[in-house]
Amino acid sequence: MPQTSNKPRRLNRHKARESALEVLYAWHNGGQDGAMIPSLLADRLQQRERSDQDRDFMRELVHGVTTDVARIDEAISGAVRGRSLKSIAHVEHTVLRLAAWEMMHKLETPYRVIINEALELTRDYAGEAPRGFINGVLDHLARVLRPEESGSTAG
């Protein structure tokens, strides 16, 4: 007889990151109009294939990035080494924003997990080609934002 578990169903953070990426991408392409956020969130929350996503985490990601976008973009600018943020494809920029916000605010999540998630999102939404760029930028950000955890003495 199969065992049943009384454990609560684990909410999926990867799906939450996918939804947040889609919301933030639409927000970015829509001129970063904050009025768009509620309807974009509602749309992602109604998607049946993401019914197990961590809804609170998704909302926290979206609101965190949109609230702190200037600081996040400043950190990313310092890590792209000679490239303008305008030269980065919107989907890649959005992945970087999500990961940078998480590195800044979700200290309980190891930076390597954040980078791995960002690389998966990049592969799924932008393809293989930009993964090296994303990895390099996030590795640099980890050394700056989490020097102790990343083993870096540079800050």
Side-chain angles (χ1 to χ4, degrees):
M1 180 180 235
Q3 289 184 329
T4 57
S5 174
N6 289 333
K7 290 182 184 176
R9 183 174 72 171
R10 183 172 171 141
L11 298 174
N12 191 315
R13 286 199 159 193
H14 181 73
K15 288 182 182 178
R17 287 181 182 95
E18 286 180 327
S19 289
L21 175 68
E22 292 169 2
V23 167
L24 292 167
Y25 180 80
W27 170 76
H28 183 89
N29 286 337
Q32 299 185 3
D33 179 3
M36 300 171 66
I37 297 295
S39 64
L40 291 169
L41 283 172
D43 179 59
R44 294 321 178 281
L45 290 170
Q46 293 172 7
Q47 291 181 352
R48 183 177 298 256
E49 68 274 7
R50 297 211 182 130
S51 64
D52 63 336
Q53 72 182 318
D54 186 334
R55 294 166 171 245
D56 291 336
F57 182 61
M58 190 263 286
R59 286 185 195 101
E60 184 180 14
L61 286 169
V62 169
H63 290 298
V65 170
T66 58
T67 301
D68 206 12
V69 71
R71 183 169 162 241
I72 293 165
D73 281 353
E74 184 179 324
I76 294 169
S77 289
V80 295
R81 301 182 189 140
R83 283 184 68 179
S84 161
L85 291 183
K86 291 179 183 179
S87 73
I88 301 170
H90 288 184
V91 70
E92 294 166 32
H93 190 178
T94 303
V95 168
L96 289 170
R97 282 175 167 170
L98 273 172
W101 183 86
E102 257 193 280
M103 280 191 203
M104 292 172 173
H105 298 281
K106 299 306 259 179
L107 300 179
E108 69 277 12
T109 305
Y111 81 93
R112 290 177 194 227
V113 170
I114 295 168
I115 292 174
N116 185 57
E117 284 288 326
L119 293 175
E120 285 187 42
L121 291 172
T122 301
R123 183 192 63 228
D124 293 345
Y125 288 84
E128 286 293 326
R131 289 182 76 206
F133 169 71
I134 297 294
N135 190 44
V137 171
L138 294 179
D139 185 58
H140 179 84
L141 279 174
R143 289 191 310 270
V144 171
L145 298 172
R146 296 187 177 188
E148 298 83 20
E149 182 184 355
S150 67
S152 173
T153 56

